[in-house]
Amino acid sequence: MGNRKIDSSTRPPAANSLGMTMDMAIKFRKILVLGSGALKIGEAGEFDYSGSQAIKALKEEKIKTILINPNIATIQTSKFLADEVYFLPVNPYFVEQVIKKEKPDGIFLSFGGQTALNCGLALQKSGVLKKYGVAVLGTPVKSIELTEDRQLFADHLKSINIPVPPSGSATTFDKAALIAKKIGFPVMVRAAFALGGQKSGVAHNTKELKEIVEGALAVSPQVLIEKYLRHFKEIEYEVVRDKFNNTATICNMENFDPLGIHTGDSIVVAPSQTLTNEEYHGLREASIKIVKSLGIIGECNVQYALNPVRSRTPKGVRWRDARQTSNGVNPNPKTKKLDYYVIEVNARLSRSSALASKATGYPLAYVAAKLALGKSLLEVQNKITKVTQSFFEPALDYIVVKLPRWDLEKFKGAEEKIGSAMKSVGEVMAIGRSFEEAIQKAVRMQSGLAESVTDNGFTNKKEIKQFLSTATPKRIFAVAAAINAGVSVNEIYRLTGIDPWFLYRLENIVKAEKDFGKKINSPRPPLLKRGGERGSSSLQKGRQGGVINKEDLIDLKQLGFSDKKIGQLAGKSETDVRQIRKSYKIFPSVFQIDTLAGEVPAQTNYLYLTYHGAHNDVKPLGNHAVAVLGSGPYHIGSSVEFDWSCVHAAIALKRHKKQSIIINCNPETVSTDYDISDRLYFENLSFETVADIYEFENAHSLIVSVGGQRPNNLAKKLSKIGFKLLGTSAN
């Protein structure tokens, strides 16, 4: 992501919904921001984050902000942000009543998810916005409608020579059946104007098509039937554009899982790891072309399906086997043309936007709000680096892995299978200097129960193959189990469509664990008595006794193994391994995320731990610092309310002249935003990680009571080793 080529041109500015160009727009005095309402699958804390950043951006411009959001648990409904908060439903009736009373001159539709977007489109269509003279700021309504209407969107992309999958739109099952017959099964069914891939799915026959289409038409007026591109890669680009037609691609992300699994339910890696230079830049150029053609102002993301075998054959996979995965598409290895299709464009902030923002350190929502006011990318400073403007593409010298969090077992009768309709309730983001380090961190962050990708519980090959062939939350564990059972990478690729690059990285983890297990448990030679005679006591005949040498420990830590997991392999406790590690002076390095890959000096408070380092980017804060433990990923029973309490705790600490350190791993939250705490560690809420951070910072104390059950469960263990807890004692 070190590319610095920025695209700009002198195309005339697009007109907004009132028909005036942004150059002619008045100085806004009062702006209405639509929230997303209650948290739901596909629409969670990321819109609290994006809406809060938008309000901050408006306040900097001394613009009065009016917020409509009935969710009492969010930060954005706190009294220190918006000037006026209406706890009302985000629907056309109530929004019109607020417009009538407050008389705003502008409205933001793109910071409240699909709920806000659909409400804004309805207000525009009914003439309410025109009646009260309210300008839609940012991306014009016509552009939003173009991206939301599946048929219009497909037609538009074809008109600018951007490929889309063979498809057709329908409003009845009969028409959908005709389209499916023409395209040929299997087909992907997608609902228009829907949230999180709601009611979408893959149909392999007419019976399945009828079931999916009827379900989709129950929540949407239109469905798109398109060719199912089995085992194509899913790639995503986050792009910003200002009214002067300047554009920058902020982040490219690659799904670990192939196309067919909603990106919210997929493991996602940033930056992409398996694209060729041609693929990376080809899709980047296409993204810029699409965004310009749509007249986007602010932020949007473009999702692609990329043929994995167009320009090369993955390592270890025969060409014939690879061709079979493309499901009827016949790639020509001699053709240099990139084989891809555009799947979707979101002309609004999304969960992917929150992830991209946290992964790169580029405050997307803040920048999008400024651009919506008519500013250029050259005018908006990057608030994190404070040394670059927003017209600057981030460079990453680390790797980010997002892992979803599901709670399917809490719903009686829920199908464990995952697909194009989102089911995850939350997600974690792990940062490392290798994929192995980051993925292992992410697995621990996700539930706090599994220590490694090898903690799977699979007992036989038949069960493993079943979980490989069917996408479920357990698939990554099934992959590790399959590797451990001797299934080849080639076979796993054939069954899953997961790029062999990722599979070989998981193989590194499995192999390292196996080798260490053999080494640590191998019998050692009996001790020699005086005179060279072999001893025979039980102690002398014993195994090596779990002696862990320094080199092995460093290797395992760099591959992302926790102290607890290493202890399980060596027959020792987590505390034992921690003491051994400290005796060897093996500590994680504290590195900054600066969006610049170290190219320009930048002081940021955005930190992560890694064992691929020999220095620290920051110095300890010392006795004036208090660590606040967050709640980790959203799940049933622990949601945005704990983000609210963490943020308010951090703000209160500042008032009491203490420096706040937030530890959390949830990219959707306001607590992991750049300006909430004095220091932010994007890290796991485990005993090992919290103890490492606390000892490095030499902090004054810890707050464990505001992040829900997860930090609360650490209280006794942290107190036992002498860490000071504020508030109620551990006992």
Side-chain angles (χ1 to χ4, degrees):
M1 299 249 339
N3 187 285
R4 283 292 181 272
K5 181 184 177 185
I6 308 294
D7 193 283
S8 62
S9 66
T10 55
R11 179 180 168 179
N16 66 16
S17 63
L18 295 183
M20 60 184 178
T21 66
M22 291 300 293
D23 286 334
M24 297 160 51
I26 59 171
K27 168 73 175 172
F28 295 99
R29 57 179 183 80
K30 187 188 288 188
I31 289 175
L32 179 63
V33 180
L34 299 186
S36 63
L39 266 59
K40 50 194 94 72
I41 303 288
E43 204 171 64
E46 66 271 18
F47 297 109
D48 184 28
Y49 153 76
S50 59
S52 296
Q53 274 206 353
I55 292 167
K56 289 174 192 174
L58 293 175
K59 286 170 79 75
E60 280 185 3
E61 302 296 323
K62 296 183 170 48
I63 295 171
K64 188 172 183 181
T65 54
I66 312 298
L67 173 69
I68 302 178
N69 193 358
N71 192 331
I72 57 169
T74 59
I75 304 299
Q76 65 182 237
T77 54
S78 298
K79 63 181 179 180
F80 68 88
L81 275 175
D83 294 293
E84 301 285 348
V85 180
Y86 285 85
F87 290 91
L88 292 171
V90 183
N91 67 34
Y93 173 79
F94 284 104
V95 174
E96 183 179 359
Q97 305 312 307
V98 174
I99 288 173
K100 191 188 298 184
K101 179 177 182 291
E102 292 287 349
K103 298 179 176 56
D105 38 32
I107 187 171
F108 276 175
L109 305 181
S110 58
F111 298 91
Q114 198 69 39
T115 299
L117 207 61
N118 288 349
C119 179
L121 291 176
L123 290 167
Q124 173 73 7
K125 191 174 181 180
S126 66
V128 168
L129 298 182
K130 187 176 181 180
K131 177 182 175 182
Y132 294 99
V134 182
V136 174
L137 302 185
T139 300
V141 169
K142 284 185 178 179
S143 300
I144 296 171
E145 288 174 335
L146 202 57
T147 61
E148 292 294 310
D149 186 300
R150 297 289 184 175
Q151 190 60 55
L152 289 177
F153 177 63
D155 292 343
H156 172 76
L157 292 187
K158 287 174 188 173
S159 74
I160 59 170
N161 296 317
I162 295 290
V164 292
S167 64
S169 66
T171 54
T172 65
F173 168 72
D174 289 340
K175 190 174 180 185
L178 288 173
I179 296 167
K181 186 178 179 182
K182 183 180 176 183
I183 294 172
F185 287 106
V187 293
M188 172 66 76
V189 181
R190 299 180 191 275
F193 305 96
L195 170 67
Q198 187 181 17
K199 299 297 182 182
S200 64
V202 178
H204 296 86
N205 51 53
T206 305
K207 183 184 175 184
E208 290 180 1
L209 181 72
K210 185 176 175 66
E211 185 180 335
I212 298 169
V213 167
E214 287 181 350
L217 290 176
V219 299
S220 172
Q222 181 198 64
V223 293
L224 184 79
I225 312 298
E226 67 183 25
K227 184 68 180 172
Y228 176 47
L229 304 168
R230 182 175 180 266
H231 285 182
F232 270 49
K233 292 182 184 184
E234 187 164 355
I235 311 292
E236 189 167 340
Y237 281 72
E238 300 288 329
V239 187
V240 290
R241 176 183 176 271
D242 64 24
K243 69 173 185 178
F244 304 104
N245 216 22
N246 300 311
T247 58
T249 53
I250 303 309
C251 184
N252 97 304
M253 298 180 281
E254 174 176 9
N255 284 17
F256 173 91
D257 302 286
L259 192 72
I261 297 173
H262 191 281
T263 192
D265 276 0
S266 179
I267 298 169
V268 177
V269 181
S272 59
Q273 299 297 303
T274 74
L275 300 192
T276 64
N277 195 51
E278 178 194 10
E279 289 168 339
Y280 172 82
H281 286 286
L283 295 181
R284 178 183 178 275
E285 286 169 17
S287 300
I288 291 169
K289 184 178 181 181
I290 292 164
V291 168
K292 285 184 172 183
S293 76
L294 290 169
I296 300 290
I297 296 175
E299 190 271 352
C300 80
N301 55 68
V302 186
Q303 294 172 18
Y304 296 100
L306 176 67
N307 192 332
V309 294
R310 165 60 72 173
S311 56
R312 63 197 162 90
T313 307
K315 181 182 174 185
V317 180
R318 294 169 297 169
W319 177 256
R320 185 176 70 251
D321 291 338
R323 281 182 60 169
Q324 290 169 0
T325 69
S326 64
N327 197 42
V329 177
N330 187 16
N332 181 356
K334 294 180 182 178
T335 304
K336 289 190 175 180
K337 187 180 177 184
L338 205 60
D339 186 16
Y340 73 92
Y341 298 100
V342 173
I343 301 302
E344 191 170 48
V345 171
N346 281 312
R348 58 170 173 81
L349 278 293
S350 67
R351 183 166 296 187
S352 294
S353 310
L355 174 66
S357 187
K358 302 297 174 71
T360 60
Y362 186 104
L364 274 166
Y366 171 88
V367 172
K370 294 284 189 176
L371 300 185
L373 294 175
K375 290 183 177 290
S376 80
L377 283 164
L378 288 162
E379 293 177 81
V380 182
Q381 185 188 57
N382 184 321
K383 285 288 193 175
I384 295 180
T385 66
K386 294 187 171 66
V387 295
T388 59
Q389 301 308 101
S390 296
F391 200 15
F392 193 94
E393 295 189 344
L396 278 60
D397 55 0
Y398 51 86
I399 185 170
V400 165
V401 172
K402 178 215 89 176
L403 186 65
R405 160 81 190 226
W406 298 269
D407 273 341
L408 299 179
E409 68 280 358
K410 292 180 181 175
F411 296 94
K412 189 177 179 182
E415 187 182 22
E416 192 173 32
K417 182 181 175 183
I418 57 175
S420 58
M422 190 169 162
K423 290 183 177 180
S424 62
V425 294
E427 62 189 30
V428 299
M429 186 182 100
I431 310 167
R433 304 286 277 201
S434 68
F435 176 76
E436 292 91 334
E437 183 176 51
I439 191 69
Q440 294 261 71
K441 274 189 181 184
V443 164
R444 290 195 293 278
M445 291 171 173
Q446 195 240 28
S447 67
L449 301 174
E451 287 295 317
S452 167
V453 294
T454 58
D455 288 354
N456 48 65
F458 290 109
T459 54
N460 59 67
K461 272 196 176 184
K462 186 179 177 183
E463 188 185 27
I464 292 169
K465 285 274 181 84
Q466 178 192 335
F467 277 90
L468 286 178
S469 303
T470 305
T472 73
K474 296 174 184 171
R475 181 183 257 183
I476 188 169
F477 299 104
V479 169
I483 293 169
N484 191 51
V487 181
S488 70
V489 165
N490 191 29
E491 175 67 5
I492 297 171
Y493 172 70
R494 188 185 67 78
L495 290 169
T496 64
I498 297 168
D499 192 284
W501 188 91
F502 295 118
L503 300 178
Y504 283 118
R505 304 284 78 73
L506 294 175
E507 187 179 62
N508 289 344
I509 295 170
V510 173
K511 188 175 182 299
E513 180 175 314
K514 263 186 172 179
D515 292 346
F516 178 70
K518 287 176 185 175
K519 194 173 185 180
I520 205 76
N521 293 313
S522 61
R524 68 178 177 183
L527 298 172
L528 294 179
K529 287 185 179 179
R530 264 180 263 174
E533 188 183 335
R534 296 278 177 188
S536 60
S537 73
S538 59
L539 284 173
Q540 290 167 333
K541 285 180 178 178
R543 292 182 177 272
Q544 193 173 344
V547 176
I548 306 170
N549 68 51
K550 186 176 182 179
E551 292 72 26
D552 287 341
L553 191 51
I554 290 172
D555 288 345
L556 290 172
K557 297 306 288 184
Q558 289 183 339
L559 286 168
F561 284 91
S562 66
D563 289 349
K564 190 173 183 179
K565 179 67 177 180
I566 295 167
Q568 290 168 358
L569 297 172
K572 294 182 179 297
S573 70
E574 180 181 15
T575 308
D576 291 338
V577 176
R578 180 175 180 80
Q579 288 172 346
I580 293 166
R581 179 164 62 80
K582 290 171 76 171
S583 72
Y584 287 142
K585 294 186 167 45
I586 300 172
F587 302 103
S589 292
V590 179
F591 282 0
Q592 291 173 311
I593 288 178
D594 60 10
T595 85
L596 309 168
E599 295 173 25
V600 180
Q603 293 302 313
T604 69
N605 65 340
Y606 198 5
L607 310 170
Y608 68 98
L609 305 182
T610 179
Y611 283 90
H612 293 274
H615 73 282
N616 298 308
D617 285 346
V618 296
K619 292 181 180 178
L621 288 178
N623 195 45
H624 287 288
V626 176
V628 179
L629 304 192
S631 62
Y634 295 143
H635 49 277
I636 305 300
S638 179
S639 191
V640 71
E641 65 275 8
F642 293 115
D643 192 46
W644 183 94
S645 51
C646 287
V647 169
H648 280 271
I651 292 169
L653 286 170
K654 289 180 184 179
R655 288 202 300 268
H656 291 280
K657 295 181 172 51
K658 288 290 184 185
Q659 291 173 295
S660 58
I661 300 169
I662 283 183
I663 305 172
N664 203 359
C665 54
N666 188 337
E668 301 173 56
T669 62
V670 178
S671 67
T672 53
D673 212 349
Y674 65 92
D675 60 353
I676 295 300
S677 56
D678 294 289
R679 279 191 179 165
L680 165 66
Y681 282 87
F682 233 107
E683 283 296 336
N684 188 26
L685 293 152
S686 66
F687 167 75
E688 175 186 340
T689 305
V690 172
D692 282 340
I693 293 169
Y694 187 92
E695 288 178 349
F696 167 77
E697 291 287 0
N698 194 22
H700 172 271
S701 50
L702 281 161
I703 296 177
V704 300
S705 57
V706 294
Q709 196 60 41
R710 196 144 170 187
N712 229 42
N713 290 344
L714 298 174
K716 278 197 173 182
K717 212 168 182 181
L718 293 168
S719 179
K720 192 176 179 181
I721 61 171
F723 293 0
K724 183 180 178 183
L725 305 186
L726 293 187
T728 306
S729 71
N731 285 337

